[in-house]
Amino acid sequence: EIVMTQSPATLSVSPGERATLSCRASQSVSSNLAWYQQKPGQAPRLLIYGASTRATGIPARFSGSGSGTEFTLTISSLQSEDFAVYYCQQYNNWPPGTFGQGTRLEIK
Amino acid sequence: EVQLVESGGGLVQPGGSLRLSCAASGFTFSSYWMSWVRQAPGKGLEWVANIKQDGSEKYYVDSVKGRFTISRDNAKNSLYLQMNSLRAEDTAVYYCASGEFEIGGYPTYFDYWGQGTLVTVSS
């Protein structure tokens, strides 16, 4: 089973600044990686798939990069609505489509 | 508009059973792999099970194998999760989820999520 490790567990950033979240796979997942955003009391929302393709309706300030085992989600200028928990998920090897443990993005 | 609506959650004693349902609309249900993903209180996301379009393939996370059964009824656009021998560690919000894109005939990421249904296992 592929293990996904996200860092940091919590990231404190001021509105308007850039946030960089990391996700590492225990073995190569090629570019078969997705990112999700989850706000309290809500279901996750797909942000990025294929490591770097934004899902429908996702603002351009969200960008993804990486391949193989190292991936990054960057939010270029944080808006108030971006403070949430972010998860990565690999789908190169099913089952299971493993998730990372999440990064909580909080207001500094 | 795609909608996934879960139901059937509630409070159940350890060792008990519960059946979750997910009603789908707004897309061709019979064309998609369907999955259950759960989230324990204050914890991260965990994929639980998925089922192929025609029900011929089913996969489970190790911790629920032999206790949970995923099924679907394409005529009713519905997904189910029969949960037996429930344990305290099964306490979670259970989400129904799906996605359009496949690789090699297998599911990938989740475009669509329901709002979730809470299962609490406690005496």
Side-chain angles (χ1 to χ4, degrees):
Chain A
E1 176 181 325
I2 297 177
V3 177
M4 307 301 294
T5 303
Q6 292 186 241
S7 61
T10 303
L11 182 62
S12 300
V13 183
S14 300
E17 296 194 336
R18 174 188 299 256
T20 302
L21 290 68
S22 296
C23 175
R24 174 177 292 179
S26 60
Q27 64 189 75
S28 176
V29 298
S30 187
S31 295
N32 296 318
L33 184 108
W35 289 94
Y36 301 87
Q37 176 194 66
Q38 188 180 34
K39 297 180 180 180
Q42 295 185 18
R45 177 176 71 147
L46 177 68
L47 296 177
I48 301 283
Y49 61 90
S52 61
T53 303
R54 282 189 302 277
T56 303
I58 301 304
R61 64 181 181 272
F62 290 90
S63 63
S65 63
S67 66
T69 62
E70 300 284 343
F71 301 89
T72 301
L73 174 69
T74 301
I75 311 171
S76 60
S77 178
L78 280 163
Q79 308 295 304
S80 57
E81 61 266 30
D82 300 335
F83 293 95
V85 180
Y86 292 83
Y87 295 95
C88 61
Q89 179 223 349
Q90 70 82 19
Y91 50 89
N92 193 64
N93 284 34
W94 268 102
T98 41
F99 294 90
Q101 81 280 18
T103 290
R104 180 178 305 276
L105 181 58
E106 63 177 30
I107 301 174
K108 186 174 182 180
Chain B
E1 178 193 5
V2 171
Q3 279 202 314
L4 298 171
V5 179
E6 302 93 337
S7 60
L11 175 63
V12 61
Q13 292 188 338
S17 298
L18 214 54
R19 189 194 196 209
L20 305 184
S21 299
C22 171
S25 61
F27 66 106
T28 307
F29 180 77
S30 59
S31 297
Y32 289 70
W33 279 83
M34 294 297 298
S35 298
W36 289 98
V37 177
R38 68 184 177 183
Q39 186 169 38
K43 302 297 184 183
L45 301 169
E46 179 183 42
W47 167 81
V48 175
N50 59 15
I51 183 169
K52 195 175 181 179
Q53 290 88 336
D54 61 0
S56 61
E57 294 183 45
K58 304 175 184 181
Y59 299 97
Y60 302 90
V61 67
D62 285 347
S63 59
V64 309
K65 283 180 183 176
R67 301 188 299 121
F68 289 12
T69 302
I70 189 172
S71 62
R72 64 191 296 162
D73 185 338
N74 288 341
K76 295 182 178 180
N77 289 344
S78 292
L79 176 72
Y80 306 101
L81 186 67
Q82 177 67 43
M83 303 186 295
N84 299 330
S85 303
L86 281 160
R87 306 167 179 167
E89 54 265 35
D90 296 318
T91 294
V93 174
Y94 284 73
Y95 295 101
C96 170
S98 187
E100 294 185 63
F101 187 65
E102 296 181 7
I103 296 176
Y106 285 94
T108 56
Y109 49 86
F110 302 114
D111 297 279
Y112 311 124
W113 297 74
Q115 86 288 351
T117 187
L118 176 62
V119 173
T120 303
V121 184
S122 175
S123 54

